[in-house]
Amino acid sequence: MNKNFKYKKIKGIVRIQVKSGEANPAPPIGPVLGSRGVNLMDFCKKFNLETSKEGSLEKGTLVTVVITIYEDKTFDFIVKSPPTSYLIKKYTKSEKGCQQPKKQPLLYITAEDVEVIAKIKSKDLTAITLNSAIKTVQGTASSMGFSIR
């Protein structure tokens, strides 16, 4: 290991949800990162470049970003997969879940769609097997008022 290598001190870790390829200094990014001294335009350029790479996410997909901010005002970030609820709404072409999910689940999602969502989310879930990831997605779908077909 290089003896001249120095670890950076972490000032904070921030999680925000941003649409891929559409980051700008406006809320929610501006207030959160600006108050910590991060160069907003630098973050926005790097984030938009990262999320608009070919084969990456389609533009406008909501993703969670985990940003590590260091004391010297530099940062690193990790782009996570889209939230499960976002993917469920996308695959069912629904704008929102049911108002009273336990009383009257009126919305439906196919088992195949649940499996696809579980595969997308598997890298960010704590589930070890695909079957347990599917159960996690089913639980989210159920809480949103979706029945599995």
Side-chain angles (χ1 to χ4, degrees):
M1 183 182 254
N2 185 355
K3 292 180 182 180
N4 295 328
F5 180 77
K6 293 183 180 178
Y7 290 99
K8 293 182 180 181
K9 284 195 170 189
I10 295 175
K11 184 177 182 180
I13 297 175
V14 178
R15 296 174 74 96
I16 54 175
Q17 291 184 342
V18 184
K19 290 185 178 183
S20 61
E22 297 180 6
N24 59 45
I29 298 169
V32 172
L33 297 182
S35 66
R36 290 174 170 82
V38 174
N39 183 334
L40 297 175
M41 289 310 297
D42 190 33
F43 170 78
C44 291
K45 285 178 186 175
K46 288 180 181 179
F47 175 80
N48 289 337
L49 183 67
E50 177 76 24
T51 58
S52 64
K53 287 181 182 173
E54 191 170 324
S56 186
L57 302 163
E58 64 182 69
K59 187 174 182 177
T61 301
L62 188 68
V63 293
T64 302
V65 184
V66 180
I67 307 163
T68 304
I69 304 166
Y70 301 103
E71 285 190 349
D72 63 356
K73 298 181 182 178
T74 59
F75 61 88
D76 290 324
F77 64 91
I78 299 170
V79 179
K80 301 280 189 173
S81 60
T84 306
S85 58
Y86 175 84
L87 292 171
I88 290 170
K89 290 187 284 187
K90 180 181 174 184
Y91 276 86
T92 59
K93 296 176 180 61
S94 175
E95 290 185 24
K96 60 182 180 175
C98 186
Q99 295 296 323
Q100 299 174 327
K102 298 296 179 189
K103 292 184 179 179
Q104 43 181 264
L106 300 174
L107 307 169
Y108 297 96
I109 187 169
T110 65
E112 292 82 20
D113 287 343
V114 170
E115 186 174 343
V116 169
I117 293 169
K119 286 178 181 175
I120 292 170
K121 291 293 295 177
S122 65
K123 67 177 182 168
D124 293 330
L125 294 175
T126 57
I128 295 172
T129 65
L130 179 60
N131 192 34
S132 56
I134 289 172
K135 288 181 181 181
T136 302
V137 174
Q138 286 174 339
T140 302
S142 175
S143 69
M144 291 174 65
F146 287 87
S147 291
I148 312 298
R149 282 190 175 177

